[in-house]
Amino acid sequence: MSDNLSNALNQNWEDKNILVVEDVDTNKIFFDAALRRTKAKILWAKDGQEAIDMFKENHIDLVLMDLQLPVMDGYTATREIKKINPDVPIIAQTAHVMSGEREKCLEAGCNDYLAKPIRLQILIDTLSKYLNA
């Protein structure tokens, strides 16, 4: 493991709550493993509507939002969450890396964008920008 990755994984976010909105089990396993060492509290939602409901019921420091979701897509959920709290960082994560996708995410209110497959170093570095600010 590189020193950079090792240092990145040594984040201590035990006072942070991260809402991960993801409907694919293998991606959930990745996020769970990637974030375990940070000690952050991870809350899970499987669709956009559940994400909004969980956001209303919990103090959330950051949202990792899949965009292709059942019930309500991530774009709509992002807009609704930003109406509740415009300051919460929302990081889009999607396998769709078509031209214009990043702009579409930012227009919906996302603060940042991660393309799948997500590399661990990039995930931790991106979260650090917002959780360590």
Side-chain angles (χ1 to χ4, degrees):
M1 189 179 320
S2 75
D3 285 344
N4 285 348
L5 183 54
S6 181
N7 290 340
L9 290 175
N10 286 328
Q11 299 293 332
N12 184 349
W13 295 328
E14 63 187 339
D15 62 334
K16 304 294 185 187
N17 296 319
I18 300 173
L19 175 59
V20 181
V21 189
E22 177 59 69
D23 64 322
V24 177
D25 288 340
T26 52
N27 294 334
K28 287 180 182 176
I29 292 166
F30 167 77
F31 285 118
D32 187 52
L35 299 172
R36 186 176 300 131
R37 287 181 59 183
T38 69
K39 300 185 180 91
K41 181 177 180 194
I42 309 300
L43 301 168
W44 299 97
K46 65 184 176 312
D47 62 58
Q49 184 59 56
E50 188 176 8
I52 294 166
D53 296 342
M54 291 188 77
F55 190 85
K56 288 177 180 175
E57 296 165 11
N58 298 277
H59 169 78
I60 303 295
D61 296 293
L62 182 140
V63 179
L64 262 172
M65 179 72 73
D66 189 11
L67 298 173
Q68 309 301 317
L69 296 165
V71 183
M72 177 190 293
D73 68 49
Y75 301 103
T76 305
T78 294
R79 287 187 197 95
E80 294 301 312
I81 288 171
K82 286 290 189 169
K83 285 179 190 173
I84 300 164
N85 180 354
D87 298 324
V88 69
I90 299 179
I91 300 170
Q93 36 119 355
T94 184
H96 296 270
V97 290
M98 297 170 287
S99 175
E101 190 71 21
R102 183 179 183 85
E103 292 72 23
K104 191 174 173 185
C105 293
L106 299 176
E107 284 171 15
C110 294
N111 300 77
D112 220 322
Y113 173 92
L114 295 171
K116 293 177 182 174
I118 298 169
R119 290 189 23 235
L120 183 55
Q121 178 81 48
I122 293 171
L123 172 66
I124 298 297
D125 288 348
T126 302
L127 296 182
S128 294
K129 268 197 313 198
Y130 299 96
L131 293 177
N132 295 343

